[in-house]
Amino acid sequence: MFFSSIYADYTKMGYPAAIVRALDFLKHTDLASLPGGRHEIEGSLMYANVDDVQTKEFFTTKPESHKEYIDIQFMVRGEENMGFFVDRGLVAPIESYPERDCYFYPNEAHDEGVIHCPEGYYTVFFPSDIHRPLLAVHEPISIRKVVVKVHVSLLHE
Protein backbone atom coordinates (compact mmCIF):
# COMPACT_ATOMS: atom_id res chain seq x y z
CA MET A 1 0.00 0.00 0.00
CA PHE A 2 1.13 3.52 -0.62
CA PHE A 3 -0.38 6.98 -0.28
CA SER A 4 0.56 10.24 -1.99
CA SER A 5 -0.62 13.37 -3.78
CA ILE A 6 -1.31 13.36 -7.50
CA TYR A 7 0.86 16.50 -7.59
CA ALA A 8 3.97 14.63 -6.43
CA ASP A 9 6.21 13.42 -9.27
CA TYR A 10 5.05 9.79 -9.26
CA THR A 11 7.10 9.10 -12.41
CA LYS A 12 10.25 9.17 -10.26
CA MET A 13 9.02 6.97 -7.41
CA GLY A 14 9.82 3.60 -8.95
CA TYR A 15 6.18 2.56 -9.30
CA PRO A 16 5.32 -0.24 -11.76
CA ALA A 17 4.56 1.06 -15.27
CA ALA A 18 0.86 0.14 -15.00
CA ILE A 19 0.50 2.18 -11.82
CA VAL A 20 2.14 5.16 -13.55
CA ARG A 21 -0.29 4.83 -16.48
CA ALA A 22 -3.24 4.76 -14.08
CA LEU A 23 -1.93 7.84 -12.27
CA ASP A 24 -1.44 9.58 -15.64
CA PHE A 25 -5.13 8.93 -16.34
CA LEU A 26 -6.11 10.43 -12.99
CA LYS A 27 -3.87 13.47 -13.39
CA HIS A 28 -4.72 14.29 -17.02
CA THR A 29 -8.47 13.58 -17.10
CA ASP A 30 -11.19 16.06 -16.15
CA LEU A 31 -12.57 13.85 -13.40
CA ALA A 32 -15.00 16.48 -12.13
CA SER A 33 -17.00 16.36 -15.36
CA LEU A 34 -16.53 12.68 -16.23
CA PRO A 35 -19.89 10.87 -16.02
CA GLY A 36 -20.34 8.46 -13.14
CA GLY A 37 -19.84 4.75 -13.78
CA ARG A 38 -17.21 2.58 -15.41
CA HIS A 39 -14.68 3.91 -17.93
CA GLU A 40 -12.26 1.54 -19.63
CA ILE A 41 -8.64 2.65 -19.77
CA GLU A 42 -7.02 -0.59 -21.01
CA GLY A 43 -10.07 -2.78 -21.48
CA SER A 44 -10.91 -5.06 -18.57
CA LEU A 45 -7.27 -4.99 -17.38
CA MET A 46 -7.47 -1.35 -16.26
CA TYR A 47 -10.61 0.68 -15.81
CA ALA A 48 -11.94 3.50 -13.66
CA ASN A 49 -15.10 3.59 -11.58
CA VAL A 50 -16.33 7.16 -11.04
CA ASP A 51 -18.42 7.25 -7.88
CA ASP A 52 -20.57 10.00 -6.37
CA VAL A 53 -21.23 8.58 -2.92
CA GLN A 54 -21.72 9.38 0.76
CA THR A 55 -19.11 8.71 3.38
CA LYS A 56 -20.30 6.56 6.28
CA GLU A 57 -19.94 6.11 10.00
CA PHE A 58 -17.29 3.51 10.90
CA PHE A 59 -19.71 0.98 12.45
CA THR A 60 -21.76 0.77 9.21
CA THR A 61 -18.79 -0.33 7.08
CA LYS A 62 -16.83 -3.54 6.52
CA PRO A 63 -13.21 -4.00 5.50
CA GLU A 64 -12.73 -5.37 1.98
CA SER A 65 -10.05 -6.82 -0.26
CA HIS A 66 -9.54 -7.89 -3.86
CA LYS A 67 -7.47 -10.77 -5.23
CA GLU A 68 -7.31 -9.96 -8.96
CA TYR A 69 -7.17 -6.16 -8.99
CA ILE A 70 -5.21 -3.38 -7.33
CA ASP A 71 -7.31 -0.40 -6.21
CA ILE A 72 -6.05 3.13 -6.79
CA GLN A 73 -8.53 5.24 -4.84
CA PHE A 74 -8.40 8.94 -5.74
CA MET A 75 -10.32 11.78 -4.07
CA VAL A 76 -11.78 14.22 -6.61
CA ARG A 77 -14.13 16.20 -4.33
CA GLY A 78 -14.51 16.00 -0.58
CA GLU A 79 -12.53 13.95 1.91
CA GLU A 80 -12.67 10.56 3.55
CA ASN A 81 -10.79 8.39 5.96
CA MET A 82 -9.78 4.89 4.92
CA GLY A 83 -8.95 2.05 7.25
CA PHE A 84 -6.30 -0.50 6.30
CA PHE A 85 -4.43 -3.53 7.58
CA VAL A 86 -2.27 -6.23 6.04
CA ASP A 87 -3.87 -9.58 5.28
CA ARG A 88 -1.79 -11.96 7.38
CA GLY A 89 -4.36 -14.75 7.10
CA LEU A 90 -5.70 -14.10 10.60
CA VAL A 91 -9.16 -12.88 9.53
CA ALA A 92 -11.33 -14.84 7.10
CA PRO A 93 -13.86 -13.16 4.78
CA ILE A 94 -17.45 -13.21 6.00
CA GLU A 95 -18.80 -12.44 2.51
CA SER A 96 -17.19 -13.49 -0.78
CA TYR A 97 -18.14 -12.31 -4.26
CA PRO A 98 -15.42 -13.79 -6.52
CA GLU A 99 -17.30 -12.76 -9.68
CA ARG A 100 -16.88 -9.13 -8.51
CA ASP A 101 -13.43 -9.74 -6.99
CA CYS A 102 -14.70 -8.47 -3.66
CA TYR A 103 -14.29 -10.01 -0.20
CA PHE A 104 -15.66 -8.48 3.02
CA TYR A 105 -14.24 -9.03 6.50
CA PRO A 106 -15.55 -8.69 10.06
CA ASN A 107 -14.53 -5.79 12.28
CA GLU A 108 -11.88 -7.85 14.08
CA ALA A 109 -8.62 -6.17 13.10
CA HIS A 110 -6.66 -5.02 16.13
CA ASP A 111 -4.01 -3.27 14.04
CA GLU A 112 -6.20 -1.29 11.63
CA GLY A 113 -4.67 2.05 10.71
CA VAL A 114 -6.48 5.05 9.25
CA ILE A 115 -5.45 7.38 6.42
CA HIS A 116 -7.04 10.79 5.87
CA CYS A 117 -7.55 11.29 2.13
CA PRO A 118 -8.32 14.88 1.05
CA GLU A 119 -8.83 16.12 -2.51
CA GLY A 120 -5.95 15.36 -4.86
CA TYR A 121 -4.61 12.39 -2.89
CA TYR A 122 -4.62 8.71 -3.78
CA THR A 123 -4.08 5.42 -2.02
CA VAL A 124 -2.93 2.27 -3.79
CA PHE A 125 -4.21 -0.95 -2.21
CA PHE A 126 -2.67 -4.26 -3.30
CA PRO A 127 -4.35 -7.67 -2.83
CA SER A 128 -2.53 -8.04 0.50
CA ASP A 129 -4.09 -4.80 1.79
CA ILE A 130 -7.47 -5.15 3.45
CA HIS A 131 -9.04 -1.71 3.34
CA ARG A 132 -12.13 0.14 4.55
CA PRO A 133 -13.01 3.09 2.27
CA LEU A 134 -15.67 5.78 2.63
CA LEU A 135 -15.22 6.51 6.32
CA ALA A 136 -16.63 9.88 7.35
CA VAL A 137 -14.00 12.28 8.66
CA HIS A 138 -16.42 14.17 10.94
CA GLU A 139 -19.91 13.40 9.69
CA PRO A 140 -21.13 11.76 6.45
CA ILE A 141 -20.76 13.97 3.37
CA SER A 142 -21.16 13.62 -0.40
CA ILE A 143 -17.89 12.97 -2.21
CA ARG A 144 -16.67 12.18 -5.70
CA LYS A 145 -13.92 9.62 -5.96
CA VAL A 146 -12.43 7.56 -8.75
CA VAL A 147 -11.21 4.03 -8.19
CA VAL A 148 -8.89 2.77 -10.91
CA LYS A 149 -8.80 -1.02 -10.99
CA VAL A 150 -5.48 -2.43 -12.26
CA HIS A 151 -5.29 -6.17 -12.93
CA VAL A 152 -2.39 -7.78 -11.09
CA SER A 153 -1.07 -9.27 -14.36
CA LEU A 154 -0.09 -5.73 -15.48
CA LEU A 155 2.50 -5.57 -12.71
CA HIS A 156 4.63 -8.11 -14.57
CA GLU A 157 5.24 -5.96 -17.66
Side-chain angles (χ1 to χ4, degrees):
M1 180 200 93
F2 49 88
F3 173 75
S4 189
S5 167
I6 199 69
Y7 304 109
D9 190 353
Y10 54 82
T11 64
K12 295 181 180 175
M13 294 183 183
Y15 295 162
I19 301 293
V20 171
R21 292 195 308 274
L23 293 172
D24 282 342
F25 169 83
L26 292 169
K27 188 171 187 175
H28 301 295
T29 303
D30 181 2
L31 301 172
S33 63
L34 197 63
R38 180 176 166 149
H39 301 270
E40 291 191 356
I41 301 169
E42 296 179 14
S44 63
L45 293 178
M46 185 186 303
Y47 60 92
N49 290 324
V50 178
D51 298 318
D52 294 299
V53 293
Q54 288 279 122
T55 59
K56 303 173 184 178
E57 298 292 339
F58 182 89
F59 65 87
T60 67
T61 67
K62 293 180 220 160
E64 65 183 57
S65 72
H66 315 288
K67 297 178 190 291
E68 299 295 322
Y69 285 88
I70 296 157
D71 270 8
I72 302 176
Q73 300 204 12
F74 178 73
M75 184 58 58
V76 178
R77 185 185 69 246
E79 64 179 343
E80 71 178 320
N81 284 334
M82 290 185 272
F84 66 94
F85 58 98
V86 174
D87 184 359
R88 296 180 296 168
L90 302 175
V91 181
I94 55 172
E95 296 176 48
S96 297
Y97 304 96
E99 69 283 356
R100 292 181 15 222
D101 189 38
C102 197
Y103 304 85
F104 292 100
Y105 296 81
N107 291 322
E108 294 179 6
H110 300 288
D111 59 348
E112 185 170 357
V114 176
I115 297 170
H116 176 243
C117 190
E119 292 177 11
Y121 282 77
Y122 62 89
T123 307
V124 179
F125 293 110
F126 293 92
S128 61
D129 301 317
I130 298 174
H131 52 284
R132 184 192 306 255
L134 298 177
L135 297 176
V137 174
H138 301 290
E139 60 186 33
I141 63 169
S142 295
I143 64 170
R144 173 168 268 225
K145 70 184 295 184
V146 176
V147 180
V148 177
K149 307 291 277 186
V150 178
H151 195 271
V152 294
S153 66
L154 293 178
L155 294 182
H156 305 292
E157 301 177 322

